[in-house]
Amino acid sequence: LCTSGSVLQERLLAGRTSAPYLLQQTWMGCGALVATFVSCRFVDGLPLSRLFEGFDDWVVVLVLVMYTLNGLTAGLLVKRLGALAKALCVPVHLGCCYVYAVAIGSATLEPVAVATWLASTLFVVAFAVSKAV
């Protein structure tokens, strides 16, 4: 879904070079907010008050801040390099999350996962090198 959103963002905003970056991200955030409300209310049948549970916990607020910063940097990556480059960077990002999960003990180190991540990372580097040449 994230990559699909990036491709959609690139298609919608590619012709509008005059639109400032933060304005573009604001529109993407509004779209995400509407999607969240619709899925919460109509797909899951939950009251909208459920969206506000957990904000008294600092860990939840930290996760939301980090998620927002991740979205802003991903949007900047799409704006500068395109959706394909952003999609190719996803394995690197997920690999970093996996290393963190192993480090804190919530995941185990699996050789197959490491080999897959290494192959994906090599493809990303090969793509970057081919674009630079």
Side-chain angles (χ1 to χ4, degrees):
L1 288 176
C2 183
T3 302
S4 300
S6 297
V7 170
L8 178 65
Q9 178 184 12
E10 184 178 32
R11 293 280 184 232
L12 291 175
L13 302 174
R16 295 186 175 195
T17 56
S18 62
Y21 171 70
L22 286 178
L23 178 65
Q24 294 174 3
Q25 292 304 305
T26 300
W27 281 111
M28 292 298 289
C30 290
L33 186 64
V34 168
T36 300
F37 282 132
V38 167
S39 66
C40 181
R41 185 69 185 126
F42 299 113
V43 175
D44 294 332
L46 299 172
L48 294 179
S49 62
R50 291 286 305 265
L51 290 176
F52 300 103
E53 292 178 7
F55 283 104
D56 56 344
D57 187 4
W58 71 271
V59 175
V60 172
V61 175
L62 179 66
V63 168
L64 287 174
V65 167
M66 295 305 293
Y67 187 73
T68 302
L69 290 175
N70 182 37
L72 288 172
T73 55
L76 187 59
L77 185 65
V78 168
K79 185 168 177 67
R80 298 289 179 218
L81 301 176
L84 180 62
K86 191 247 182 218
L88 290 174
C89 289
V90 168
V92 175
H93 180 257
L94 292 178
C96 293
C97 292
Y98 179 66
V99 167
Y100 176 74
V102 169
I104 64 170
S106 65
T108 59
L109 188 61
E110 296 289 332
V112 174
V114 173
T116 304
W117 176 81
L118 185 60
S120 298
T121 303
L122 289 175
F123 286 128
V124 168
V125 169
F127 175 77
V129 168
S130 72
K131 284 295 200 182
V133 173

